Amino acid sequence: MPSSAGPSIDTITEGGRVTQVGEGQEAEESAPHVMTFGAPTAGEILAERYELVEHINNDSAGRLVWRGVDVILRRPVAVVLRYPGGDSATEMLQGAVAASRVIHPNLVGVYDAIDEAERAYVVREWVDGRSLRELVADGPLDPARATTIGNAVASALAAVHATDMVHGNVHPGTVMISDDGRVVLADARTDGDDSQQSDVRAIGGVLYFALTGHWPHAEAPLRGATAGHGRAAIPDAVRDAAGAIAAPRQVRAGVPAYLDDLTMDLLDAEIAPPSSDVLAAELARLDVPADEQFLDNTGPLRFAADTADEPSPLAAAGGRKVAIGIAGLLAVALVGLLIGISALRGGDESPQTPVAAPSSSAPGGDAAPAATTVRELKISGARIIDPEGDRRELRNADRVYDGDEDKGWETQTYRGRANFGNLKKGMGVWVDLGEEHTVKSVQVLLSARGASARLLTGTSTPPSSASGDAQLVAEYKTPIGQPFEEHDGTKMTFNGFDADKKYRYLLLWITELPESDGGYKLGVQEITVQGS
């Protein structure tokens, strides 16, 4: 979009209430001081329409951000005032006018722009929510949620680019997630060095930040940073000795390879990025609800595979740095079909018939290695681990792998707190696979939403007793996959296993229970393991 000095949008918390805050571009030392004489007061009505309710913040460029009310339409608005108006406010007003012409559900709406000479102000949509920067401060997002946010930002940019304009200000402070789950992009502006291509590359930074909690561009100024919220507030990306950033999968477990590759491609200056509409289509293709992602997430099979019926928009645009041949696509499709059938069969423990992938000749005539067959692994035994309890909850461990999702093992009802009534640190379900296997994923079907758990592994098999359970918990310290804190679903899928390691014993360690019957209680209905 045309150059604008308008503020971007972020959030702060005041007394437990999340409110919208304007952020300006980082102030330069040489930037002139912005006069704020004749500042408004609460209750004042601007343009006979916009009542000022609460002064929220002054951004780094000196603009005042107020929460207001449109007294005609009776809707909340954000009012950004600049002193003085006139020529000094031209860029802000022109930028607001340009932004108002693009209407999209993933863009913050601009309602009005007024110049009163002594002051100028822009009236725009009020968004109750949190910025991506504040959201990730609580911890990196799961791949599904990061993909959803990336899809929304790409869709917003596609709408902007369709008008031949540039946003020029995409970063974690201008990506807002409203309380109702809507993702919006705020504060478009350009300083002349921005382009539609740089907008698209910025989505790579947003994805990287959402997946890792680190910002990959610490060497460059982070726009939209007020005092205390600049680059120092966001950790720099993990880098090697040469300064190259680590891929998301190297920072945390559980990031699908395809999403990892896409993020790193967008950040690679030597790879031409796709257009914003093509990227939006690709991210929409990958945007699958978390509770449906039961496939292995170490590659594109976790999402929709590239097939003749649903090709990747990036492949059509030539945006992938690794060309995939037709034979490779057929192999991916067949392996995807095998994994999907295996997962859907649930408790069928009959051996899976390996499906050979189509062979292709490597340079020199050597045949390419066959794809590893992934199947449901048979669980040979399970037991309940309760080192601090009264040992009255140990029955029915065999129900967690009997193939019947209607029957399972469950805890007692605990009162007072979700952490087992503050009586013990946790309980676990220990699983024996009979022999060592390469594990791709572990899915746990629970009786209710809101549980917290992690998956651990070890090598010892102490006896089933209070002391034996205590010994097992003390030795099983190696976490596998991504821990789930307050998991909002009844299916927990642990991924990110080391392909070079094999596992026999797994421990699902439960730390918090969901609410149930006036207390806290959880049932583990079924555990299934995919691997080879």
Side-chain angles (χ1 to χ4, degrees):
M1 286 188 181
S3 177
S4 169
S8 63
I9 294 179
D10 200 358
T11 59
I12 58 173
T13 302
E14 296 179 338
R17 179 173 56 84
V18 178
T19 57
Q20 177 175 263
V21 175
E23 281 188 344
Q25 196 165 353
E26 281 189 303
E28 302 285 346
E29 290 185 3
S30 59
H33 177 66
V34 178
M35 300 298 292
T36 58
F37 54 82
T41 59
E44 182 177 351
I45 297 180
L46 308 180
E48 299 181 348
R49 179 168 185 171
Y50 306 110
E51 180 180 358
L52 300 179
V53 176
E54 179 184 11
H55 178 212
I56 299 301
N57 184 48
N58 286 7
D59 69 22
S60 60
R63 292 175 289 268
L64 284 66
V65 182
W66 280 74
R67 177 171 62 87
V69 174
D70 182 335
V71 298
I72 295 178
L73 297 180
R74 305 307 302 172
R75 65 180 176 184
V77 295
V79 183
V80 183
L81 299 101
R82 188 195 190 283
Y83 291 82
D87 292 341
S88 64
T90 298
E91 286 187 321
M92 180 182 81
L93 297 173
Q94 287 180 343
V97 171
S100 69
R101 295 171 181 165
V102 184
I103 300 175
H104 190 274
N106 298 121
L107 286 170
V108 169
V110 177
Y111 302 145
D112 214 340
I114 299 173
D115 184 7
E116 295 181 349
E118 74 278 3
R119 67 184 177 189
Y121 47 92
V122 173
V123 181
R124 66 188 180 193
E125 178 184 5
W126 176 270
V127 180
D128 274 321
R130 308 171 74 188
S131 69
L132 178 62
R133 176 163 54 203
E134 184 180 67
L135 190 66
V136 174
D138 297 334
L141 307 184
D142 63 80
R145 196 171 190 190
T147 301
T148 298
I149 291 173
N151 178 22
V153 174
S155 298
L157 288 178
V160 173
H161 295 172
T163 63
D164 294 325
M165 292 190 291
V166 175
H167 188 279
N169 195 27
V170 180
H171 62 76
T174 58
V175 177
M176 289 283 296
I177 297 87
S178 69
D179 292 342
D180 61 3
R182 175 180 167 223
V183 179
V184 292
L185 183 61
D187 189 21
R189 63 165 170 263
T190 179
D191 58 12
D193 294 328
D194 298 303
S195 64
Q196 293 187 0
Q197 189 175 86
S198 63
D199 275 351
V200 174
R201 290 198 186 282
I203 299 176
V206 168
L207 286 171
Y208 190 95
F209 177 74
L211 291 168
T212 68
H214 296 268
W215 183 243
H217 304 303
E219 72 283 357
L222 177 60
R223 293 179 169 185
T226 56
H229 291 277
R231 283 175 289 150
I234 299 181
D236 182 21
V238 177
R239 300 175 184 271
D240 60 21
I245 64 173
R249 296 185 75 191
Q250 296 174 299
V251 178
R252 60 176 292 201
V255 178
Y258 189 56
L259 184 58
D260 185 272
D261 290 342
L262 176 59
T263 300
M264 295 303 289
D265 283 357
L266 291 172
L267 294 174
D268 192 335
E270 296 183 358
I271 299 176
S275 62
S276 54
D277 57 341
V278 169
L279 180 58
E282 174 69 354
L283 289 168
R285 191 179 71 93
L286 304 182
D287 190 1
V288 181
D291 58 359
E292 294 180 14
Q293 294 179 353
F294 58 88
L295 299 183
D296 167 33
N297 77 341
T298 58
L301 294 179
R302 170 152 185 183
F303 306 112
D306 287 86
T307 65
D309 295 329
E310 189 182 11
S312 166
L314 287 185
R320 298 294 301 148
K321 66 181 179 182
V322 180
I324 303 177
I326 294 177
L329 290 177
L330 290 174
V332 168
L334 286 174
V335 175
L337 179 61
L338 175 64
I339 298 174
I341 293 173
S342 175
L344 292 174
R345 291 182 66 175
D348 186 356
E349 297 179 356
S350 59
Q352 304 294 319
T353 303
V355 177
S359 61
S360 60
S361 297
D366 293 332
T372 302
T373 301
V374 177
R375 59 186 175 85
E376 182 177 328
L377 302 178
K378 182 177 180 180
I379 296 175
S380 64
R383 80 173 198 238
I384 307 305
I385 306 301
D386 188 17
E388 299 176 285
D390 56 12
R391 316 289 293 170
R392 291 189 295 180
E393 300 169 85
L394 306 184
R395 296 180 180 177
N396 302 323
D398 57 325
R399 292 183 179 179
V400 304
Y401 63 97
D402 63 357
D404 187 349
E405 296 182 353
D406 295 328
K407 296 180 180 180
W409 166 81
E410 62 182 12
T411 70
Q412 299 178 140
T413 300
Y414 290 81
R415 306 294 179 183
R417 295 187 180 182
N419 61 342
F420 295 88
N422 205 29
L423 299 175
K424 49 191 173 185
K425 296 179 182 179
M427 291 185 67
V429 181
W430 177 85
V431 170
D432 182 6
L433 299 179
E435 59 182 303
E436 291 187 338
H437 290 277
T438 298
V439 176
K440 291 293 185 180
S441 67
V442 175
Q443 184 182 88
V444 182
L445 179 63
L446 304 174
S447 62
R449 301 172 179 265
S452 294
R454 58 182 181 268
L455 194 65
L456 307 170
T457 189
T459 58
S460 66
T461 57
S464 179
S465 62
S467 60
D469 286 0
Q471 178 185 345
L472 187 145
V473 171
E475 293 183 15
Y476 279 56
K477 295 295 187 181
T478 304
I480 316 172
Q482 185 65 27
F484 287 84
E485 299 299 333
E486 297 182 356
H487 179 60
D488 188 24
T490 58
K491 289 182 180 179
M492 286 185 174
T493 303
F494 296 87
N495 294 288
F497 291 82
D498 190 335
D500 296 327
K501 293 184 179 180
K502 293 189 175 183
Y503 308 87
R504 175 175 176 176
Y505 305 116
L506 306 174
L507 175 62
L508 175 71
W509 186 248
I510 304 164
T511 54
E512 290 192 356
L513 307 173
E515 293 187 19
S516 176
D517 300 328
Y520 299 89
K521 181 179 181 179
L522 178 67
V524 178
Q525 305 302 111
E526 198 72 19
I527 297 177
T528 54
V529 183
Q530 296 286 333
S532 58

